């Protein structure tokens, strides 16, 4: 394929949006795709064959294609992350090249691949094919910076066992070890995950654009620093349905693209007083251990507040026996329409694992949080929620830090503090201010909107 000719033709720019096969990755990329379509870009959404089959109700405003990760019957067949990633690297590039050729032959050439930064190899393929490559970062800017510093060898993994150590990085608050992503500590058991995250930055400075699902004003210091080191860096978030923001995209409803079956809990919430319900969810991936499930269960019960708790089907057998039946003030569901829930006036606060999508959602809706990070980037997100944005309370681990269990009394104390205490009022006020700031950035004329327009304009106006 030769350099494309979009600059001299009148056809719409065509982006292939290539998502890594995980719920927390494809959801924001779909939302970003909707914004591109809204600005007149033609989008083809792409992920792996096995993953695309698990998703329901994908938007009709874009075409769908797939590549292979070598496990077309389901990535469970891989058996281990290492086998999965290695096979994907062998099979993925060839199937992507074939897809680009097919699209080109069908008169539908791709001008730009927007690829999840977990797949940096895509950039080489884009360049070889004379098309643009835009790396899409799904995580928080501070988390990106941490992994980038590992890539530069400025943070050594494994880090020293001395828990007094503080990590100092440019444009960031001092980090304790407990604020770092979990893969620093599970390095020996999960080396593939750490490598995947660090490798995002192996060639990022060569990408034509670096798009990040965050908001410039959320942390100006790190935004400025990042823009200095990567002039192509643009914040384009939050990539969540438009109905939560300025409703610019019509009929842009809640996420309905999950691999889980949503249960209705809105009727139940409708019968609860304003700010009376604790919403609890740990996202789509994290498993909790039985001890932690039990402590959460009894912490919720002892708080004596209403609660709505998402316990995925795979986690259900870890609940204390008959807990669901006996909890008069609680409702346990396997999956819910989280955005609808968070926007419901009965919700008082969100006990969250601090996955980046849940974090962006709760910040955008203005719901205060109780943080219970478990894995991956979540501890760093929690640090920002509590100490930088001041919109949450940290649920502390029990003295035995290594076990990382939040005991029932600690959770109960946080809930009472948040719902009934003075601190809760302050936090709620901060959450409302932050919500306004995010809405402004995402609305027409705001920083994220301007960046999206700039990106689209540059696609239209140049050749690679
Ligand atoms: C994963 C990682 O765990 C997380 O750390 C990383 O930041 C992103 O990838 P996940 O665990 O799924 O993500 O958490 P999160 O990023 O919060 O995404 C969960 C999504 O599922 C959110 O969009 C949320 O609205 C949705 N959700 C969750 C529902 O729609 N219903 C539910 O019942 C629970």
């Amino acid at each position: 394929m030769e350099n494309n000719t979009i600059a001299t033709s009148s056809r719409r720019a065509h982006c292939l949006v290539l998502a890594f096969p995980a719920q927390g990755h494809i959801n924001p990329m779909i939302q970003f795709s909707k914004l591109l379509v809204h600005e007149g870009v033609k989008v083809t959404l792409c992920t792996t064959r096995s993953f695309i089959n698990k998703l329901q109700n994908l938007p009709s405003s874009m075409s769908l294609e797939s590549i292979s990760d070598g496990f077309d019957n389901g990535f469970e067949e891989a058996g281990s992350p290492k086998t999965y990633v290695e096979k994907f690297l062998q099979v993925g590039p060839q199937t992507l090249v074939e897809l680009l050729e097919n699209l080109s032959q069908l008169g539908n050439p791709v001008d730009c691949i927007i690829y999840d930064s977990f797949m940096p190899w895509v950039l080489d393929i884009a360049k070889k094919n004379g098309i643009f490559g835009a790396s899409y970062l799904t995580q928080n800017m501070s988390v990106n910076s941490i992994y980038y510093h590992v890539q530069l060898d400025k943070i050594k993994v494994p880090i020293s066992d001395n828990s007094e150590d503080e990590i100092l990085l440019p444009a960031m608050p001092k980090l304790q070890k407990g604020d770092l992503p979990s893969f620093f500590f599970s390095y020996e058991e999960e080396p593939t995950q750490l490598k995947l995250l660090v490798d995002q930055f192996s060639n990022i400075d060569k990408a034509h654009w670096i798009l990040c699902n965050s908001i410039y004003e959320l942390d100006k210091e790190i935004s400025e620093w990042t823009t200095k080191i990567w002039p192509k860096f643009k914040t384009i978030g939050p990539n969540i349905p438009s109905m939560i923001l300025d409703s610019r995209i019509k009929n842009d409803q809640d996420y309905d693209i999950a691999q889980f079956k949503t249960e209705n809990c809105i009727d139940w919430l409708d019968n609860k007083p304003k700010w009376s319900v604790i919403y609890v969810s740990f996202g789509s991936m994290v498993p909790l251990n039985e001890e932690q499930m039990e402590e959460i269960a009894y912490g919720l019960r002892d708080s004596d507040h209403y609660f709505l708790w998402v316990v995925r089907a795979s986690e259900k057998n870890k609940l204390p026996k008959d807990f669901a039946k006996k909890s008069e003030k609680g409702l346990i569901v396997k999956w819910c329409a989280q955005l609808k829930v968070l926007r419901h006036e009965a919700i008082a606060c969100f006990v969250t694992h601090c996955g980046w999508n849940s974090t962006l959602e709760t910040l955008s809706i203005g719901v205060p949080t109780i943080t219970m990070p478990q894995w991956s980037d979540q501890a760093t997100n929690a640090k920002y929620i509590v100490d930088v944005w001041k919109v949450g309370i940290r649920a502390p681990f029990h003295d035995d830090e290594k076990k990382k269990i939040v005991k029932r009394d600690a959770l109960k104390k946080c809930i009472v503090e948040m719902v009934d205490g003075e601190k809760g009022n302050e936090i709620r006020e901060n959450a409302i201010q932050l919500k306004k700031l995010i809405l402004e950035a995402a609305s027409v004329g705001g920083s994220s909107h301007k960046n999206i327009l700039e990106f689209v304009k540059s696609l239209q106006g140049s050749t690679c």
Side-chain angles (χ1 to χ4, degrees):
M1 233 182 296
E2 288 305 307
N3 280 357
N4 73 55
T5 54
I6 190 165
T8 53
S9 76
S10 58
R11 72 178 171 81
R12 287 194 294 159
H14 179 197
C15 289
L16 184 77
V17 176
L18 180 52
F20 192 77
Q23 192 79 51
H25 287 242
I26 195 165
N27 281 12
M29 290 189 92
I30 291 175
Q31 297 308 319
F32 181 57
S33 299
K34 290 184 190 170
L35 292 170
L36 292 179
V37 171
H38 184 72
E39 301 300 343
V41 174
K42 179 177 166 54
V43 171
T44 299
L45 178 70
C46 183
T47 185
T48 58
R49 282 176 200 146
S50 59
F51 194 69
I52 220 161
N53 294 332
K54 291 190 180 178
L55 304 170
Q56 301 153 11
N57 298 332
L58 289 160
S60 58
S61 56
M62 52 198 88
S63 320
L64 283 183
E65 292 289 350
S66 58
I67 60 169
S68 180
D69 51 13
F71 299 99
D72 292 349
N73 295 323
F75 52 66
E76 298 77 13
E77 281 183 1
S80 76
K82 183 169 184 289
T83 312
Y84 179 75
V85 171
E86 283 174 2
K87 187 82 174 174
F88 197 173
L89 261 177
Q90 280 166 20
V91 178
Q94 183 53 33
T95 56
L96 176 59
V97 169
E98 284 161 14
L99 173 63
L100 291 173
E101 282 169 3
N102 276 347
L103 290 170
S104 199
Q105 277 161 17
L106 292 169
N108 201 8
V110 171
D111 303 299
C112 177
I113 311 180
I114 301 169
Y115 58 93
D116 189 315
S117 54
F118 275 28
M119 300 181 281
W121 48 268
V122 176
L123 184 61
D124 292 339
I125 296 177
K127 291 202 165 181
K128 275 189 197 136
N129 284 273
I131 56 187
F132 293 115
S135 176
Y136 179 102
L137 295 158
T138 54
Q139 297 189 331
N140 183 357
M141 286 182 281
S142 52
V143 173
N144 295 325
S145 170
I146 292 171
Y147 287 125
Y148 174 62
H149 281 88
V150 179
Q151 212 270 325
L152 292 180
D153 232 9
K154 296 208 169 147
I155 305 179
K156 305 266 186 230
V157 181
I159 52 175
S160 114
D161 240 6
N162 177 359
S163 58
E164 298 305 312
D165 278 357
E166 284 179 338
I167 314 278
L168 271 176
L169 293 175
M172 284 174 67
K174 276 182 199 158
L175 300 176
Q176 309 295 324
K177 272 173 61 175
D179 301 325
L180 293 172
S182 67
F183 300 133
F184 282 68
F185 310 102
S186 58
Y187 174 64
E188 292 195 352
E189 307 94 75
E190 300 183 295
T192 306
Q193 283 89 333
L194 183 68
K195 185 167 172 2
L196 197 66
L197 283 146
V198 173
D199 282 355
Q200 295 177 95
F201 303 101
S202 55
N203 61 358
I204 199 157
D205 50 338
K206 302 199 175 62
H208 294 100
W209 290 275
I210 302 166
L211 308 171
C212 180
N213 183 19
S214 190
I215 301 102
Y216 197 89
E217 294 80 2
L218 204 49
D219 187 347
K220 275 195 183 157
E221 257 189 276
I222 197 147
S223 302
E224 280 164 16
W225 179 82
T226 312
T227 314
K228 254 186 226 149
I229 56 158
W230 300 324
K232 301 282 172 61
F233 178 82
K234 300 276 171 218
T235 44
I236 42 81
N239 292 156
I240 61 176
S242 166
M243 62 167 196
I244 305 302
L245 303 163
D246 63 353
S247 299
R248 183 153 88 241
I249 300 179
K250 297 292 161 234
N251 302 319
D252 188 16
Q253 294 303 310
D254 286 43
Y255 289 129
D256 195 13
I257 41 181
Q259 47 190 318
F260 308 104
K261 204 164 177 301
T262 301
E263 288 181 56
N264 184 11
C265 48
I266 303 299
D267 295 347
W268 185 85
L269 286 175
D270 283 346
N271 290 317
K272 302 291 170 283
K274 191 173 176 184
W275 292 348
S276 68
V277 178
I278 317 300
Y279 172 57
V280 188
S281 165
F282 291 84
S284 68
M285 295 176 89
V286 172
L288 297 177
N289 65 38
E290 239 165 85
E291 185 182 352
Q292 184 62 86
M293 286 290 270
E294 188 173 311
E295 293 302 321
I296 294 173
Y298 294 127
L300 290 170
R301 182 199 61 187
D302 295 350
S303 79
D304 203 28
H305 283 89
Y306 292 113
F307 64 89
L308 168 62
W309 185 5
V310 177
V311 179
R312 297 188 310 276
S314 54
E315 296 283 284
K316 207 116 206 182
N317 61 1
K318 297 180 190 167
L319 281 168
K321 196 163 177 288
D322 289 339
F323 180 77
K325 274 190 222 152
K326 284 190 208 149
S327 358
E328 283 159 26
K329 289 196 135 184
L331 176 66
I332 296 181
V333 295
K334 295 195 193 77
W335 193 254
C336 72
Q338 178 161 301
L339 293 175
K340 265 200 193 115
V341 167
L342 285 175
R343 284 195 309 161
H344 199 288
E345 64 168 17
I347 297 298
C349 71
F350 181 12
V351 177
T352 171
H353 68 313
C354 309
W356 187 232
N357 296 298
S358 293
T359 301
L360 282 176
E361 289 162 9
T362 199
L363 295 181
S364 304
I365 296 171
V367 175
T369 52
I370 294 173
T371 63
M372 281 190 61
Q374 303 291 317
W375 179 71
S376 187
D377 54 338
Q378 297 157 10
T380 316
N381 297 339
K383 163 81 184 166
Y384 272 72
I385 290 174
V386 176
D387 294 335
V388 179
W389 302 318
K390 300 189 186 328
V391 291
I393 296 178
R394 179 180 287 111
F397 291 127
H398 187 55
D399 291 347
D400 182 359
E401 278 278 339
K402 282 222 161 97
K403 240 169 127 193
K404 296 209 161 165
I405 295 285
V406 173
K407 291 284 193 182
R408 64 190 74 181
D409 287 348
L411 179 59
K412 176 185 159 188
K413 191 165 169 250
C414 291
I415 293 174
V416 171
E417 211 176 344
M418 183 66 94
V419 183
D420 310 320
E422 201 39 51
K423 190 155 183 200
N425 290 336
E426 252 173 59
I427 287 181
R428 199 164 291 114
E429 192 47 48
N430 293 342
I432 291 168
Q433 295 310 322
L434 208 58
K435 169 186 165 164
K436 284 189 193 147
L437 177 141
I438 294 174
L439 176 62
E440 222 166 90
S443 301
V444 172
S447 58
S448 288
H449 179 247
K450 278 192 195 151
N451 285 342
I452 293 169
L453 290 187
E454 207 181 298
F455 171 66
V456 171
K457 197 165 162 218
S458 64
L459 279 180
Q460 295 286 1
S462 48
T463 52
C464 180

